[in-house]
Amino acid sequence: MPRIFSRRNFLITGAVLGGTAMVAAVGGIGTLATVDMDGPDPLLDGDRLVFNAFVAIHQDGSVVIQAPRTEMGQGIHTGLAMLVAEELDIPFDARIRVEHPVEQLAAYTNFSGPLRTRPEGAQGPVMWAAKRLLGLLPLNNTAGSRSIVGMWVPMRQAGAAARHMLVTAGAARLGVQVGDVTTSDGFVRHAASGRNIAYGDLVRDAAAVPPPSDPVLKPASAWRLIGRAQPRVDLPAKIRGEPVFGADVVLPDMLHAAIRQAPVFGASVARVVNEAETRAQPGIVDVAVIDGRSVAVVASSWWLAETAAWRLDIQWAATEAEVVTSAGLARALQSALDGDEPHLYLHEGDVEVPAGQVVTAAYTAPFVTHACMEPMNATVLIRGDGTAEAWCPTQSPMSMRWGVNRGAALADVDPTSVTCHVTMTGGAFGRRSDLDVVVQAAFLATRHRDRPVKLMWSRQEDIGRGIYRSHAAARMRAALGPDGLPVSYDALVAAQSMQQSASARLLPFGNGASPHGDRFTVEGLDKSYYAVPNRRLRSHHVPSHMPIGAWRSNGFSFGTFFAESFVDECAQAASQDPVAYRRRLLRDSPRHLAVLDRVAALAGWGTPLAPGRGRGVAIEEAYESVVAEVVEITVAADGEITVDRVFCVVDVGIVVNPDAVVAQMEGGIQFGVTTALMSSITLEAGAVMESNFHDFPMQRLANAPEIVVEIMPSNLPPGGAGEPGIVPVAAAIANAIHAATGRRLRSLPFATVETLGERRLRTVLPAVDMAARN
Amino acid sequence: MVSLNVNGAPVTVSAPDDKPLLWVLREDLGLLGAKYGCGIAQCGACRVLINGVSTPSCVTTLSTVAGASVVTVEGLPQADGTLSVLQQAWLDEQVPQCGFCQPGFLVAATALLDRVPQPTNAEIDEFIDNICRCGTYPRIRRAIHRAAAAQAQG
Ligand code: FES
Ligand code: FES
């Protein structure tokens, strides 16, 4: 990957942040909220003009856009490029090249996630200081469905600033007023004289034009790209099978590494019994114990390394966690729920208010993992001169850089600089925010200076030694008023804190954030948009030895299942239709109500279904979007369950690329169906039992439902789209099972998987609900 | 030394007999299109055509493909680089998300259309058993039908 920005960005933003250095170039960092356009003049570099941190134009008219968010299948490179192209007035075609930037600039910071704000909304001295701090790290990650939310304004400003400079240069060249020229299709046009100048011909002149401090953005009425489906810029290469992934990185002199990590998290390596024998095999270059916790084999080929790793005879030191089982951890959740002093997350009104009928229910969800299609991998090169370079399918170049530093530090090496190349990722789903594989690869690279070391985990390591979404359990209680609607709603949830587990791994200092009051534990349980006067939400953190990390939609993946199943149970207790009941609860939330009404209409809610079939609905507000889904299922006499169709209506605010939003809903729904029906990570003797797709199965094409997605028109600022799709799925399926069979399933996953020969499976509801037995 | 034909060209590989074809392709022949997703014939990311049959290359050893004709995703376009009808349908339907599984699906679907030019949904379900974690299944189905229709016309 070429290093498009080097010297250039130093001049434009005043700070190139590499290695461990935090460059406090205070004067030059400028407005972190935007694109640093009030920095020094843009610069010509060979045949191109680098306008700002995001846009460069070559004299041949080709445009290079820096998209500082990881492309992991969500189409973000296309969406971000559309925003620039919209304001720049260039056609959305093959003359645009989109790159993930190599330099880590403050302008690429994702502060909208951690600060939970939008660039256009971020004001005041506290926000300014917080943004500056994040920019110094710089915190650049792709997470929380925040990419469009956070870059919606900066990317358009970058395009508008470049256009302003081209227009100014073009008008001067033509000897006319700026107001007399227009732009379209990559030309500055003077209609009165019929003269046009291509952007490429103006880059030299535009270099002399000062960037505008506050570029004017187009009104929505002038958009020609935003809101119109554009083809993904990354698909042609992917359809040709070109090597775009981290797993495809090939470098001269590269070594390959495979790894075996402790079966029980936290266990250390006591001895590698056959180390000498392994080293003696042809092609094996190294056997290394990493941080006392895993053993890697380095070889001339990954296949050789992995084969040797299979044969490693490793003795692991005993740990306390060896007695842990899934059943024991599940009991720990229940005793936490029984215990005193939960964290009070929210209390509005008084949930003890006396009311009529009381509804209670208890739910559970298991540990699950990501199983990204591309196994975890990283390639790291540490040179004799002390510099380091790394290639990784990561969601966070910041984590990646820290990972290299931390891995090198295990060998007492402190790279003088770390250059990070973010590759395309074969799925991510939160998993690639972590830096474990980078740490390991960097440590190995310290042992083989001047040779890139590419470490790739086997699928067994990915599923059995990975990072997980926490299990969870909840107890819900509602008291219904005379109209059947809840007067009070009380949710008590127990889970292991993701915030604490992940931040302890990812932050370079301390033991992580407080686990109490972790918002990721209570996501989906708040139900603030429902008109319930008295609400309480409490949580327990239940620690374990399992590493917990970000997982597509985090707490929503269980919290919405609990809450939206429970709403159906309340509707049932009140003898009301689930959609009609929610409509009444949404009386003060018109945005949500419109989404619900639309999905009900789309799905033909209320029309009769054959016996054994059922419909279920669920709704959620997540990532500043509102999504509702209706699921249609069939349960056969022998318990086989098929999810036949899913109708999805989503309000994501203003839509940039509608087809990408539809694809994210489709993908999220499939992800959700697999998870709801069949995903579970179990523990025996402290170790994860699942190891590959045969025992952590996925639905396949034959099991996949038909999906109908509709996007609500909206003028609200863009919300997130990567995660909302999965959120309502589990509850909608549970509600559909109830409609079809009268059975209320309160434990995920709902089904057991039966194989029907190779690579063929069906899902069957157990005869007895496990939760009912608890 | 094993000789075989890969994407129309004869090649000779010196690698251990038991080395899986997937790793021969990726490491010895520099063809990175076929992907490692599971190594146990579960996911199909490594599928290639062996004498026209869609086969998981992760469990196919080098010695068993001596003299065989192997086609990887890189070999699907026409000689001048134009996308195959199926690949074009894949682009038109905007199938891939992350794309990691897609070479295996493209190979599997190519084999399907060779055998059954106008497959029904049931035939697609029966034949296409790869895994896509991103959930592109509905678009895969549409793209196969689109390619079948285009081939019937063309
Ligand atoms: S890698 Fe061969 S089937 Fe998964
Ligand atoms: S497109 Fe990502 S796994 Fe299929």
Side-chain angles (χ1 to χ4, degrees):
Chain A
M1 259 169 271
R3 294 183 56 170
I4 285 295
F5 293 114
S6 46
R7 180 175 64 93
R8 192 95 319 99
N9 270 308
F10 188 85
L11 294 167
I12 290 178
T13 69
V16 172
L17 304 168
T20 51
M22 298 209 307
V23 181
V26 175
I29 287 179
T31 315
L32 300 184
T34 61
V35 286
D36 298 326
M37 278 167 297
D38 48 356
D41 292 346
L43 276 160
L44 275 169
D45 176 27
D47 77 327
R48 67 179 176 173
L49 174 61
V50 179
F51 286 84
N52 50 52
F54 300 95
V55 187
I57 301 182
H58 289 255
Q59 284 179 344
D60 67 3
S62 59
V63 177
V64 181
I65 294 171
Q66 299 295 316
R69 294 292 177 268
T70 300
E71 179 57 66
M72 41 204 196
Q74 81 281 46
I76 195 63
H77 280 191
T78 307
L80 296 183
M82 283 172 68
L83 297 178
V84 171
E86 178 70 78
E87 293 292 338
L88 194 51
D89 270 342
I90 54 173
F92 201 72
D93 63 18
R95 276 175 294 170
I96 296 175
R97 194 165 83 239
V98 185
E99 293 179 347
H100 195 294
V102 174
E103 304 298 352
Q104 293 305 306
L105 305 179
Y108 302 148
T109 306
N110 174 11
F111 59 78
S112 111
L115 303 183
R116 309 192 79 190
T117 181
R118 293 173 184 274
E120 61 273 31
Q123 302 286 345
V126 173
M127 200 57 91
W128 181 89
K131 280 156 59 181
R132 172 153 295 198
L133 201 66
L134 293 174
L136 282 169
L137 290 173
L139 178 82
N140 173 0
N141 64 0
T142 306
S145 296
R146 293 303 286 199
S147 296
I148 290 288
V149 174
M151 303 308 285
W152 164 243
V153 169
M155 294 306 280
R156 286 186 299 147
Q157 286 179 328
R163 178 183 170 278
H164 168 93
M165 292 156 70
L166 290 161
V167 163
T168 308
R173 175 93 68 88
L174 294 166
V176 299
Q177 296 295 310
V178 166
D180 293 336
V181 298
T182 57
T183 53
S184 65
D185 287 339
F187 286 86
V188 174
R189 302 182 189 276
H190 184 240
S193 66
R195 290 177 297 164
N196 305 315
I197 312 178
Y199 284 177
D201 295 333
L202 284 170
V203 298
R204 293 205 157 269
D205 298 14
V209 179
S213 57
D214 195 8
V216 182
L217 301 179
K218 284 182 183 178
S221 57
W223 291 338
R224 58 200 168 87
L225 293 173
I226 293 169
R228 300 203 164 91
Q230 300 301 317
R232 292 255 308 272
V233 296
D234 53 327
L235 293 200
K238 289 176 175 177
I239 286 169
R240 287 181 185 276
E242 285 172 16
V244 297
F245 301 102
D248 300 333
V249 168
V250 175
L251 296 162
D253 271 339
M254 188 168 82
L255 290 168
H256 297 262
I259 197 164
R260 288 299 175 271
Q261 300 165 97
V264 179
F265 297 103
S268 55
V269 178
R271 194 161 84 87
V272 182
V273 179
N274 58 349
E275 180 177 343
E277 192 187 321
T278 305
R279 281 180 181 280
Q281 291 168 32
I284 304 297
V285 176
D286 194 8
V287 176
V289 175
I290 304 173
D291 199 19
R293 313 240 165 233
S294 57
V295 182
V297 178
V298 182
S300 54
S301 121
W302 190 77
W303 175 71
L304 269 184
E306 176 64 16
T307 307
W310 267 108
R311 298 192 184 120
L312 282 175
D313 181 0
I314 306 167
Q315 286 179 355
W316 304 96
T319 86
E320 284 173 11
E322 268 168 23
V323 297
V324 175
T325 62
S326 296
L329 287 178
R331 277 195 304 274
L333 290 183
Q334 294 303 328
S335 25
L337 293 174
D338 288 336
D340 304 332
E341 296 181 24
H343 178 88
L344 180 62
Y345 196 87
L346 170 106
H347 197 175
E348 284 176 11
D350 177 11
V351 288
E352 309 292 351
V353 67
Q357 189 181 1
V358 171
V359 184
T360 60
Y363 303 89
T364 66
F367 291 98
V368 292
T369 195
H370 314 73
C372 305
M373 213 64 212
E374 178 189 10
M376 297 301 114
N377 67 83
T379 306
V380 179
L381 166 65
I382 295 182
R383 296 192 186 81
D385 68 3
T387 61
E389 194 157 354
W391 295 258
C392 185
T394 181
Q395 288 176 250
S396 170
M398 178 190 72
S399 295
M400 183 178 167
R401 181 159 52 84
W402 286 349
V404 171
N405 283 317
R406 206 176 291 178
L410 294 175
D412 286 326
V413 173
D414 185 12
T416 52
S417 70
V418 183
T419 304
C420 293
H421 303 271
V422 177
T423 68
M424 299 264 169
T425 79
F429 316 122
R431 178 63 181 84
R432 298 188 205 272
S433 293
D434 255 283
L435 42 72
D436 41 8
V437 68
V438 186
V439 172
Q440 294 162 344
F443 174 76
L444 296 174
T446 61
R447 298 164 63 96
H448 304 280
R449 291 286 179 110
D450 290 316
R451 295 193 74 175
V453 178
K454 177 172 160 186
L455 169 66
M456 187 166 75
W457 292 14
S458 65
R459 176 60 65 197
Q460 287 80 359
E461 294 295 310
D462 173 60
I463 288 181
R465 311 284 184 265
I467 287 175
Y468 302 88
R469 184 207 70 189
S470 176
H471 63 162
R475 292 179 192 167
M476 317 283 282
R477 180 182 181 280
L480 311 185
D483 60 357
L485 295 181
V487 174
S488 67
Y489 164 90
D490 194 7
L492 176 65
V493 62
Q496 185 176 342
S497 165
M498 186 273 269
Q499 183 169 284
Q500 194 223 5
S501 185
S503 61
R505 284 193 307 277
L506 297 176
L507 294 179
F509 39 79
N511 291 321
S514 164
H516 304 293
D518 181 347
R519 74 180 163 95
F520 297 109
T521 301
V522 297
E523 281 174 328
L525 288 165
D526 176 326
K527 310 315 278 183
S528 56
Y529 44 86
Y530 283 152
V532 179
N534 304 291
R535 291 186 301 137
R536 185 168 66 173
L537 179 46
R538 295 172 300 161
S539 66
H540 286 283
H541 161 62
V542 182
S544 83
H545 71 308
M546 295 282 280
I548 304 301
W551 188 92
R552 197 176 193 176
S553 85
N554 298 317
F556 287 110
S557 64
F558 48 75
T560 299
F561 161 61
F562 301 157
E564 282 291 286
S565 295
F566 187 61
V567 171
D568 254 47
E569 299 210 45
C570 292
Q572 187 197 343
S575 305
Q576 294 184 28
D577 171 78
V579 167
Y581 194 72
R582 284 179 176 79
R583 290 195 82 249
R584 298 170 67 203
L585 283 168
L586 290 174
R587 60 180 180 260
D588 301 328
S589 302
R591 186 186 182 202
H592 303 67
L593 183 59
V595 170
L596 179 70
D597 280 346
R598 188 60 207 132
V599 80
L602 191 64
W605 185 266
T607 57
L609 288 172
R613 305 197 65 217
R615 263 188 212 106
V617 67
I619 186 167
E620 191 54 277
E621 177 186 334
Y623 310 99
E624 303 190 38
S625 297
V626 176
V627 59
E629 289 164 8
V630 170
V631 169
E632 271 179 26
I633 60 143
T634 303
V635 180
D638 67 352
E640 177 174 8
I641 175 171
T642 52
V643 177
D644 306 316
R645 292 202 288 180
V646 180
F647 299 89
C648 170
V649 173
V650 64
D651 177 345
V652 291
I654 293 167
V655 181
V656 177
N657 192 6
D659 193 48
V661 171
V662 170
Q664 282 308 292
M665 295 307 132
E666 291 171 348
I669 288 165
Q670 306 282 5
F671 204 97
V673 172
T674 285
T675 307
L677 292 185
M678 52 184 106
S679 295
S680 177
I681 288 290
T682 58
L683 286 118
E684 288 300 330
V688 170
M689 291 289 96
E690 290 73 23
S691 64
N692 207 319
F693 293 124
H694 65 290
D695 54 9
F696 190 74
M698 309 270 134
Q699 57 165 1
R700 294 165 190 262
L701 203 149
N703 314 97
E706 189 187 324
I707 295 173
V708 181
V709 179
E710 203 175 281
I711 301 171
M712 291 292 276
S714 173
N715 295 321
L716 293 170
E723 292 166 278
I726 183 177
V727 171
V729 177
I733 293 177
N735 296 340
I737 292 170
H738 182 262
T741 67
R743 290 175 64 190
R744 173 56 63 179
L745 298 191
R746 301 188 180 93
S747 262
L748 289 170
F750 301 130
T752 52
V753 175
E754 291 180 2
T755 50
L756 305 166
E758 259 187 302
R759 296 183 293 274
R760 215 148 281 289
L761 52 87
R762 64 176 208 146
T763 42
V764 181
L765 297 182
V768 185
D769 180 14
M770 304 315 267
R773 292 199 311 197
N774 279 342
Chain B
M1 298 278 261
V2 172
S3 297
L4 64 161
N5 186 295
V6 178
N7 295 333
V11 296
T12 301
V13 184
S14 64
D17 274 1
D18 61 345
K19 186 166 186 176
L21 175 60
L22 172 63
W23 297 106
V24 171
L25 292 167
R26 292 183 62 85
E27 297 186 341
D28 298 276
L29 298 174
L31 289 169
L32 295 157
K35 303 295 189 224
Y36 165 79
C38 70
I40 58 165
Q42 275 286 326
C43 74
C46 64
R47 281 184 182 279
V48 297
L49 300 176
I50 300 178
N51 297 329
V53 180
S54 162
T55 310
S57 62
C58 66
V59 293
T60 304
T61 58
L62 176 60
S63 60
T64 62
V65 292
S69 161
V70 173
V71 177
T72 69
V73 67
E74 290 97 331
L76 295 183
Q78 293 153 34
D80 66 355
T82 312
L83 294 178
S84 73
V85 172
L86 185 79
Q87 285 174 306
Q88 186 59 47
W90 234 250
L91 194 57
D92 294 340
E93 292 289 348
Q94 294 280 294
V95 172
Q97 287 189 27
C98 81
F100 197 80
C101 69
Q102 300 291 329
F105 276 102
L106 285 158
V107 165
T110 299
L112 169 63
L113 291 182
D114 281 350
R115 246 184 22 197
V116 189
Q118 300 289 321
T120 61
N121 278 334
E123 285 166 326
I124 293 173
D125 286 349
E126 178 64 30
F127 197 88
I128 306 292
D129 58 11
N130 294 4
I131 292 173
C132 173
R133 182 55 157 158
C134 295
T136 60
Y137 298 125
R139 291 177 187 227
I140 287 172
R141 189 187 299 285
R142 285 210 302 272
I144 292 173
H145 285 308
R146 180 191 271 258
Q151 269 171 356
Q153 278 176 8

